[in-house]
Amino acid sequence: MPPAGSGSRPPRPPGVVVIAAVVALEALELAAAALWLGIGSFSQPPQSLASSVFLVVLTLALAAGLAAVSVNAYRGFRWTRSAAFVWQLLMVALAMPALFGGAVPVGVLLLLPALAGIYYLFTPRVVAFSLRTGGEHPVL
């Protein structure tokens, strides 16, 4: 067992795994949406090819960013908590119109993982795990 002052980190709490899994699934969903948009661009003539390509590239960039947040949240980097929180708030904002607009299953599928992610982002064990006091990357 390492000494107390050696910068040892607490064990990975289950909340970190939940956050990383939720964000990873959302990244996969965005990648699938980008694929669907790309296929749609070729199967139907778009109004503007430039805007269609831009939308696909933007969606892929968001998916890559969420994938990076997921991997680094699992590793315990502090910066991922704010990125994951903002994304989960956006998911809640998307879920509310779906819930109240009649698409209840879609709204629930958007809302429940986002609420779980938000809950676990603020649990004390997850916060303690994401605070780096030493190690190989003290700045991040």
Side-chain angles (χ1 to χ4, degrees):
M1 195 163 142
S6 68
S8 65
R9 298 184 61 205
R12 182 174 288 114
V16 170
V17 177
V18 170
I19 292 166
V22 165
V23 175
L25 286 174
E26 290 168 347
L28 286 174
E29 290 167 357
L30 269 177
L35 180 67
W36 181 73
L37 288 169
I39 291 171
S41 297
F42 291 114
S43 64
Q44 302 170 8
Q47 291 280 61
S48 169
L49 182 62
S51 59
S52 176
V53 169
F54 176 76
L55 186 60
V56 170
V57 170
L58 180 66
T59 308
L60 285 173
L62 281 171
L66 279 179
V69 169
S70 174
V71 168
N72 288 308
Y74 186 77
R75 291 181 181 170
F77 286 100
R78 179 190 323 197
W79 64 269
T80 60
R81 291 179 57 239
S82 59
F85 179 66
V86 168
W87 187 259
Q88 299 315 312
L89 285 179
L90 289 172
M91 295 304 290
V92 169
L94 288 173
M96 288 302 148
L99 280 173
F100 296 127
V104 175
V106 172
V108 169
L109 285 175
L110 291 173
L111 185 65
L112 291 182
L115 290 179
I118 290 171
Y119 169 76
Y120 281 115
L121 280 169
F122 294 104
T123 58
R125 292 181 65 202
V126 170
V127 172
F129 182 76
S130 68
L131 295 178
R132 290 183 180 258
T133 58
E136 57 196 43
H137 302 292
V139 175
L140 296 175

